């Protein structure tokens, strides 16, 4: 037993971590046994320890939780092959030795030359793939009937198996029933057809872990030329008898046939025998070539399915990493605690917060950690779809319900049945649709547009808004009864201004994320740039920060993210006292201040005229004055202007 963790994703991806006898902790701190530079992992995230010969994993009250095989746990016993997820990192727990999974056998190539005794046939010459020719030969021999029966049995069996390894094993076992071979192998090539990337071997005698030594020359020729080959007398051939591996295995005869799918050779089937009394002959070659013809597509489909499943797992892990909430501030810890408490329920949740604060990320976190995690998550932006189309989009319509409704269409609510519906910008929902949504929440049923019967629905509804719904209720723009139905559980996502201590962590997270996506090298953030990030007000919140980091990575030309790589609006704020501002940016800022003072003084306090002189929009001038903290300075300037020059200030002052 050799306990270890194989890292599937995260900073330590593709590495193997041996597990000690005692206890090992996983977390972001360097003092952990497994230290991860991963912002979504807590300082001390979880621990793995041995207790009475069993391995136990326990969550240490981490903010994103610890998952085993996709389910959040507090403590759980680990078994061989379990997947552990901590933040953006995923591990595979392994106990058994790799050599123990040896029933598949091994394949070893030997370089040898094709002999003069080798028989070559083309696919068009395979007897069992020519029905007319078979009908002529059936009366002459009973062997043909037995072979046809074997082909029918193989065809029935192989097309009912989806797992690639099981399919290859069953296929070789069935071949052994009709072909006197002692060993067999199925070799599948890569997509370019240059190398064998899947090798499967089996012995006629069950329970043996074979080492099937395949002639590389024969296998390559079959793969490249798409022909079947037969060596009837290996010991007496001029070249094959010189191959030490075949001589050591006492191979008397061998054959190799191509696996062809849509005129493309995807691999080959190899068989050999060391029984002197039952050599492989041309009739065996014909039969195996026919078997290859009917099994190639099943092998290709099983391999494609295996690849799709692996790709789906990989994309699922990547998607969950992309949608992780990041931050350790007090405000975010309160959000994590809320999400953790309500995720297991089916109660309706209302998520409030400014645009860009991560409301949809919070909704997806609720879904990912709920019993409905394997069911659909349907996100609908109520502000992005025109009111005239939103009702049909939400509830669907019957055929003929309106002009252009040529068929029945299921709405998004119906498509999300048994899952979660996320309604973003719920405050923009039209009054008529508010009534229909209220019925969905109360009765869990609805009618399609133009329909006459109710449709039952099993969904959890999560809504989000960046406006004040309570004020909208008071103003009569939003139904009071709907608001109270939505706000059963309510949480407010904090703005980035309220959790500035999370900005460095978020910035580093976005550097790693967008460096991979934009195909650039991750770069550290300089102290000056970090000061600009921390001191900016972030009206666009986390979304604006992410865009700023992506811009810096794409446009930056140095080894670090510098202030000049950031958007200009970030550079207008005064840095914190502990940060030293670069001379260039300090001088540029002073020049901006002086230009604004001169323009305001020249126009005797008219900000509209000052903006015109400077060639900027008045709104931008107001923002510059606010970011550069010039309000007090300009008040002093305006006090020195004679009263007659102040006549235009009532509407233009900041």
């Amino acid at each position: 037993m050799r306990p270890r963790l194989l890292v599937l994703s995260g900073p330590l991806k593709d590495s193997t971590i041996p597990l000690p006898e005692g206890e090992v902790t996983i977390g972001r701190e360097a003092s952990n046994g497994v230290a991860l530079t991963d912002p979504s992992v807590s300082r001390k995230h979880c621990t793995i320890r041995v207790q009475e010969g069993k391995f136990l994993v326990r969550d240490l009250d981490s903010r994103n939780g610890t998952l085993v095989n996709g389910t959040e746990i507090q403590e759980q016993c680990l078994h061989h092959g379990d997947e552990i997820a901590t933040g953006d990192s995923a591990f595979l727990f392994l106990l058994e030795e790799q050599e123990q999974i040896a029933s598949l056998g091994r394949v070893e190539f030997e370089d040898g030359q094709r002999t003069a005794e080798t028989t070559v046939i083309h696919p068009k010459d395979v007897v069992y793939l020519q029905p007319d020719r078979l009908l002529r030969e059936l009366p002459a021999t009973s062997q043909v009937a037995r072979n046809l029966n074997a082909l029918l049995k193989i065809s029935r069996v192989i097309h009912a198996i989806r797992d690639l390894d099981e399919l290859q094993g069953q296929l070789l076992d069935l071949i052994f029933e009709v072909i006197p071979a002692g060993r067999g192998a199925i070799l599948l090539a890569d997509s370019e057809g240059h190398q064998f990337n899947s090798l499967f071997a089996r012995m006629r005698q069950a329970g043996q872990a074979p080492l099937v030594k395949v002639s590389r020359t024969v296998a390559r020729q079959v793969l490249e030329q798409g022909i079947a080959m037969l060596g009837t007398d290996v010991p007496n051939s001029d070249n094959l008898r010189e191959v030490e591996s075949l001589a050591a295995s006492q191979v008397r005869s061998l054959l190799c046939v191509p696996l062809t799918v849509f005129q493309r050779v995807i691999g080959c089937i190899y068989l050999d025998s060391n029984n002197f009394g039952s050599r492989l002959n041309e009739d065996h070659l014909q039969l195996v070539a026919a078997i290859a013809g009917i099994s190639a597509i099943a092998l290709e489909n099983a391999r494609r399915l295996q690849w799709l499943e692996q790709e789906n797992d990989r994309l699922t892990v990547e998607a969950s990493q992309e949608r992780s909430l990041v931050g350790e501030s007090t405000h975010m810890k309160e959000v994590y605690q809320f999400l953790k408490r309500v995720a297991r329920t089916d109660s309706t949740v209302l998520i409030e917060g400014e645009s860009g604060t991560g409301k949809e990320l919070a909704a997806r976190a609720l879904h990912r950690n709920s019993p409905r995690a394997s069911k659909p998550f349907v996100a609908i932006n109520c502000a992005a779809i025109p009111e005239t189309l939103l009702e049909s989009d939400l509830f669907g319509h019957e055929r003929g319900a309106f002009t252009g409704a040529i068929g029945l269409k299921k709405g998004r609510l119906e498509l999300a049945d048994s899952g979660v519906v996320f309604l973003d910008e719920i405050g923009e929902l039209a009054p008529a649709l508010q009534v229909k949504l209220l019925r969905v929440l109360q009765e869990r049923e609805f009618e399609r547009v133009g329909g006459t019967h109710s449709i039952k629905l099993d969904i959890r509804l999560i809504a989000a808004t960046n406006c004040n719904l309570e004020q909208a209720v008071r103003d009569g723009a939003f139904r009071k009864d709907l608001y109270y139905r939505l706000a059963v559980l309510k949480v407010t996502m904090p703005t980035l201004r309220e959790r500035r201590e999370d900005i460095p962590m978020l910035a580093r997270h976005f550097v790693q994320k967008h460096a991979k996506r934009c195909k650039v090298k991750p770069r550290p953030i300089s102290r000056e740039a970090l000061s600009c990030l921390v001191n900016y007000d972030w009206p666009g919140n986390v979304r604006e920060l992410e865009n700023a980091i992506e811009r810096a990575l794409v446009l930056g030309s140095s080894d670090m993210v510098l202030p000049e790589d950031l958007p200009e609006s970030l550079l207008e704020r005064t840095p914190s006292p502990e940060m030293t501002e670069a001379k260039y940016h300090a001088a540029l800022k002073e020049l901006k201040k002086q230009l604004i003072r001169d323009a305001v003084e020249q126009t005797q306090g008219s900000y509209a005229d000052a903006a015109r002189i400077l060639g900027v929009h008045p709104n931008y001038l107001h923002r510059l004055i606010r970011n550069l903290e010039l309000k007090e300075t300009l008040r002093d300037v305006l006090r020195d202007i004679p009263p007659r020059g102040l006549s235009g200030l009532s509407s233009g002052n900041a």
Side-chain angles (χ1 to χ4, degrees), residues 109-166:
F109 286 104
E110 283 291 334
D111 295 319
Q113 298 297 319
R114 178 180 145 205
T115 67
E117 292 83 359
T118 300
T119 301
V120 175
I121 64 171
H122 288 271
K124 62 183 177 63
D125 299 322
V126 178
V127 174
Y128 294 100
L129 297 180
Q130 302 178 57
D132 293 338
R133 184 175 173 184
L134 276 175
L135 289 174
R136 291 195 302 269
E137 293 189 15
L138 270 175
T141 173
S142 62
Q143 183 65 39
V144 174
R146 287 196 297 270
N147 290 345
L148 284 174
N149 184 58
L151 288 174
L152 180 61
K153 181 179 179 181
I154 291 173
S155 178
R156 286 200 308 265
V157 171
I158 64 174
H159 289 290
I161 301 173
R162 298 175 60 186
D163 182 75
L164 180 60
D165 289 338
E166 182 185 355

Side-chain angles (χ1 to χ4, degrees), residues 444-466:
R444 287 298 191 268
E445 64 180 27
F446 70 98
E447 293 178 3
R448 298 192 190 105
V449 177
T452 57
H453 66 280
S454 297
I455 299 172
K456 292 292 184 180
L457 199 61
D458 174 26
I459 60 168
R460 181 182 191 177
L461 194 137
I462 303 174
T465 180
N466 61 3

Side-chain angles (χ1 to χ4, degrees), residues 242 317 444 600 606 638:
E242 304 298 331
V317 172
R444 287 298 191 268
V600 171
S606 172
L638 295 176

Side-chain angles (χ1 to χ4, degrees), residues 337-359:
Q337 288 299 318
F338 173 86
L339 297 179
K340 191 172 185 178
R341 286 196 301 270
V342 306
R344 295 289 172 182
T345 72
D346 269 344
S347 300
T348 303
V349 179
L350 177 62
I351 305 174
E352 298 180 322
E354 292 184 7
S355 178
T357 51
K359 297 186 291 296

